[in-house]
Amino acid sequence: MASFLIPFQVLFFLMLVPLQSSIVFASLAAAAPAKEAETLLKWKASLDNKSQTLLSSWLGDSHCNWVGITCDEAGSMTNLSLPNYVEGLRGNIPSEICLLKSLELISLSNNRITGSIPQEIGRLSSVSNIFFYDNNLSGPIPTSIGSLHNLTALDLKLA
């Protein structure tokens, strides 16, 4: 029977690779909430001035403390809930909002949102509830909604 001696450098490398991988994954996990905040701030900047003022609590990268935002224990955003928002948010639903992979609920109902629902909405694989009714949305309902396997409630009213 042959025996193998593993040089120390190889053994050290084999022990180091899993450690580096976990550091990379931890860094990626920590970066995700910052990316979510960046996405929301870009959306806020695309809204009209009055809507931006309504979202004045949306400052910095601690988005879990912002109005209408709920996060899980890891700091990932699970709910974007801004229904009936004071005098109504005005603007479009940007496709970037569909990058928020941890979203389980998105509620923008009873506002003054215009334009169409982004086709990319099908990327929200965790979403179970979408409420966009009583806005000024137009265009077709994206076929990608059919790929949302966790979706249990969908309430739309398009102009």
Side-chain angles (χ1 to χ4, degrees):
M1 201 186 242
S3 73
F4 295 98
L5 291 175
I6 300 174
F8 175 76
Q9 293 87 351
V10 173
L11 185 58
F12 180 75
F13 175 78
L14 292 173
M15 290 173 17
L16 184 61
V17 169
L19 176 63
Q20 286 177 335
S21 298
S22 63
I23 290 170
V24 168
F25 289 126
S27 297
L28 290 174
K35 189 71 169 169
E36 290 176 345
E38 180 183 322
T39 298
L40 291 171
L41 289 173
K42 282 183 183 177
W43 179 49
K44 176 186 171 185
S46 76
L47 299 173
D48 73 347
N49 289 338
K50 191 172 204 171
S51 297
Q52 289 183 38
T53 302
L54 294 173
L55 298 174
S56 61
S57 75
W58 287 21
L59 299 170
D61 61 359
S62 58
H63 66 292
C64 294
N65 297 322
W66 296 352
V67 165
I69 306 300
T70 305
C71 295
D72 60 18
E73 291 178 10
S76 292
M77 191 171 108
T78 57
N79 293 358
L80 172 60
S81 185
L82 297 167
N84 310 309
Y85 204 72
V86 191
E87 293 176 28
L89 298 175
R90 297 172 190 246
N92 295 331
I93 302 170
S95 59
E96 291 83 11
I97 211 90
C98 302
L99 298 174
L100 304 171
K101 299 288 189 185
S102 300
L103 271 183
E104 296 171 7
L105 175 138
I106 182 168
S107 178
L108 299 173
S109 59
N110 202 15
N111 280 291
R112 296 182 181 176
I113 306 292
T114 57
S116 60
I117 299 169
Q119 180 66 29
E120 294 86 353
I121 199 160
R123 294 182 183 164
L124 295 175
S125 57
S126 298
V127 77
S128 59
N129 298 284
I130 299 174
F131 302 112
F132 289 156
Y133 62 89
D134 287 339
N135 278 292
N136 296 316
L137 294 170
S138 59
I141 297 171
T143 57
S144 66
I145 285 180
S147 66
L148 299 174
H149 300 292
N150 293 319
L151 191 63
T152 58
L154 175 64
D155 200 341
L156 308 171
K157 179 181 174 187
L158 304 179

